[in-house]
């Protein structure tokens, strides 16, 4: 059976649930997430295997969401820890694990700033489209915590949305990106989704 634990947060820590993004706490959005966002989990697992991930590797995914990567990793690794702050995402992942008969994933309702890794050090830490939910100071804290949970020589794989243009280009570049979004009732990411990302989330700057 998968195990789900919840970690208490001290009052001075960033409220990671509030920072998770409106859409990641919305049951309707979470239910259609896999249909609109393909995390290429099999390709990612194959890449990490090329870099040394093996059957005996301990894999931690931070910001697992619906667990696309976690489920794929669990098919080739004995222990996967799937971590997310959103109770809605956690519920969706638990349903998926039961449906697909995956029993070697430990599920933790926690985040970058409060997940406490137990047991053998992580061989691989993976995160995709999650770190931008933290302001830059807290990103630094998160990366330091990841460093402590990884074994020496372990692998860290991070995907995220990063702004790589000059500040004076921001208006044109951000408008051009938002314009690629579809309608609000469409099958993919909408203009409103992209605008919300820019306005309310914390993608960092190269």
């Amino acid at each position: 059976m998968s195990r789900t634990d919840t970690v208490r947060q001290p009052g001075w820590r960033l409220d990671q649930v509030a920072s998770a993004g409106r859409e990641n706490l919305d049951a309707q959005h979470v239910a259609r997430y896999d249909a609109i966002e393909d995390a290429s989990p099999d390709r990612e697992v194959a890449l990490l295997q090329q870099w040394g991930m093996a059957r005996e590797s301990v894999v931690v995914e931070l910001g697992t969401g619906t667990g696309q990567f976690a489920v794929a990793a669990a098919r080739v690794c004995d222990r996967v820890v799937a971590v997310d702050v959103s109770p809605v995402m956690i519920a969706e992942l638990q349903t998926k694990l039961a449906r697909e008969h995956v029993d070697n994933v430990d599920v933790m309702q926690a985040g970058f700033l409060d997940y406490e890794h137990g047991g053998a050090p992580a061989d691989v830490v993976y995160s995709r489209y999650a770190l931008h939910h933290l302001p830059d100071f807290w990103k630094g804290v998160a990366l330091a915590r990841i460093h402590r949970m990884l074994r020496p020589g372990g692998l860290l794989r991070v995907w995220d949305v990063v702004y790589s243009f000059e500040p004076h280009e921001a208006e044109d570049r951000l408008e051009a990106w938002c314009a690629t979004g579809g309608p609000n009732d469409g099958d993919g990411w909408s203009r409103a989704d992209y605008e919300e990302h820019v306005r309310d989330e914390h993608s960092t700057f190269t």
Side-chain angles (χ1 to χ4, degrees):
M1 289 290 291
S2 300
R3 178 174 59 86
T4 303
D5 292 330
T6 302
V7 177
R8 291 184 177 272
Q9 296 190 21
W12 50 261
R13 183 172 288 137
L14 177 76
D15 185 341
Q16 295 173 98
V17 176
S19 296
R22 172 203 54 80
E23 74 281 4
N24 294 319
L25 303 172
D26 179 80
Q28 288 185 328
H29 170 82
V30 171
R32 70 187 190 102
Y33 185 87
D34 287 350
I36 64 174
E37 183 63 39
D38 178 7
S40 304
D42 293 332
R43 186 176 66 191
E44 287 292 288
V45 165
L47 178 63
L48 290 169
Q49 287 178 307
Q50 291 176 26
W51 291 344
M53 187 174 76
R55 169 60 66 181
E56 64 273 14
S57 295
V58 175
V59 180
V60 176
E61 183 181 17
L62 295 168
T64 190
T66 61
Q68 292 183 40
F69 172 81
V71 170
R75 295 190 179 106
V76 300
C77 298
D78 287 335
R79 184 187 179 207
V80 176
V81 184
V83 182
D84 204 282
V85 299
S86 166
V88 187
M89 287 289 193
I90 290 292
E92 183 73 13
L93 173 56
Q94 289 283 36
T95 299
K96 180 184 292 185
L97 294 173
R99 183 176 65 244
E100 301 191 17
H101 306 289
V102 177
D103 61 4
N104 60 326
V105 175
D106 290 336
V107 180
M108 293 285 290
Q109 186 178 335
F112 289 97
L113 305 179
D114 58 358
Y115 167 63
E116 296 294 342
H117 184 69
D123 299 288
V124 178
V125 174
Y126 184 88
S127 184
R128 183 180 188 276
Y129 293 174
L131 194 62
H132 66 260
H133 290 292
L134 302 181
D136 279 359
F137 168 76
W138 292 108
K139 288 185 182 74
V141 174
L143 291 169
R145 298 184 86 254
I146 290 170
H147 182 262
R148 292 197 298 271
M149 76 177 72
L150 267 172
R151 67 165 174 80
L155 298 171
L156 170 61
R157 170 81 163 154
V158 177
W159 281 43
D160 216 325
V161 178
V162 176
Y163 301 136
S164 57
F165 45 78
E166 295 302 315
H168 70 271
E169 299 176 287
E171 186 170 342
D172 290 341
R173 295 290 293 273
L174 293 172
E175 174 57 33
W177 183 48
C178 291
T180 66
N184 289 343
D185 56 354
D187 294 331
W189 297 107
S190 69
R191 180 187 175 96
D193 290 326
Y194 291 153
E195 289 177 343
E196 185 174 28
H197 179 102
V198 174
R199 183 182 65 245
D200 298 338
E201 299 178 10
H202 305 283
S203 281
T204 198
F205 178 56
T206 57

